[in-house]
Amino acid sequence: MNPLLIQLAIKEAPAIIAMLKRAFQRDHPDEPVPTDAEVIAAHEEAYRASKARNAAWLAAHPDV
């Protein structure tokens, strides 16, 4: 993993979280704005789900 990319991801995390909160508020104006912790948890869950789908696909296609 590129350490410069990791540094950038850490540096930009607050802006990314704020962007996701704004997008949520735009798409769901009647819902409370999620907390930073909720946004981070949602991102982590999305990442876990994506990895699980990828692993399942690879298991179903072993010759790829």
Side-chain angles (χ1 to χ4, degrees), residues 19-55:
M19 182 271 306
L20 288 170
K21 289 169 77 170
R22 285 190 307 273
F24 183 88
Q25 189 172 29
R26 179 198 64 226
D27 291 354
H28 307 285
D30 297 332
E31 294 291 324
V33 177
T35 65
D36 289 2
E38 289 171 324
V39 171
I40 292 166
H43 177 268
E44 290 172 346
E45 179 56 33
Y47 179 74
R48 276 192 295 275
S50 177
K51 281 189 70 171
R53 280 191 305 275
N54 292 345

